[in-house]
Amino acid sequence: MIKFSYIKNKILFFVLNHPGAKQEFDNSIQSIKSALKFHTPTECENETITDIKAFVTHKPALHGDTTALTQPRKIVSYRERATGNFDIPVHDEKLRELILSIQKIIKEKNDT
């Protein structure tokens, strides 16, 4: 639910990963404010918090949970199914040369 939080301009921001979580969080903001008046966490002792806000982000986290960012990408390659054996019923010389070059590339891929 909560990706991370930070303090900016005396406002404590909570970054959430789902709109439903934000709705629940908005219902609990007053409880969080009153709890912070009674007990300030040690990380926030040097900060004055005047308000609490929350928003939803769909961007991957830059810190914290980076498993999706650090997994190696799989290189997917497929075997060429075309053989390059096809007729070229084109009369335009420029277009015919282009199709011949494509045909040559396909045949070279099949030879390797």
Side-chain angles (χ1 to χ4, degrees), residues 62-97:
L62 296 178
H63 46 67
D65 182 25
T66 58
T67 54
L69 298 175
T70 58
Q71 291 178 350
R73 292 187 179 191
K74 292 182 181 178
I75 298 174
V76 180
S77 63
Y78 299 97
R79 187 182 65 79
E80 178 64 63
R81 291 175 27 185
T83 60
N85 298 324
F86 51 85
D87 294 329
I88 306 173
V90 178
H91 300 293
D92 183 6
E93 229 10 77
K94 216 173 181 183
L95 186 55
R96 183 174 179 78
E97 290 297 318

Side-chain angles (χ1 to χ4, degrees), residues 1 11 15-18 24 40 44 49 52-53 56 70 81-82 85 92 96 102 104 109:
M1 283 179 54
I11 299 173
V15 183
L16 308 171
N17 61 2
H18 192 275
E24 266 312 301
T40 304
C44 302
I49 299 172
I52 299 174
K53 294 183 180 180
V56 177
T70 58
R81 291 175 27 185
N85 298 324
D92 183 6
R96 183 174 179 78
I102 293 170
K104 181 181 175 188
K109 289 249 183 204

Side-chain angles (χ1 to χ4, degrees), residues 25-62:
F25 191 86
D26 287 343
N27 293 334
S28 305
I29 282 184
Q30 289 303 330
S31 301
I32 296 169
K33 284 182 182 180
S34 62
L36 282 175
K37 286 181 184 176
F38 291 111
H39 176 71
T40 304
T42 52
E43 295 87 4
C44 302
E45 284 179 349
N46 297 332
E47 298 286 338
T48 304
I49 299 172
T50 58
D51 199 7
I52 299 174
K53 294 183 180 180
F55 63 92
V56 177
T57 183
H58 301 289
K59 294 181 181 178
L62 296 178

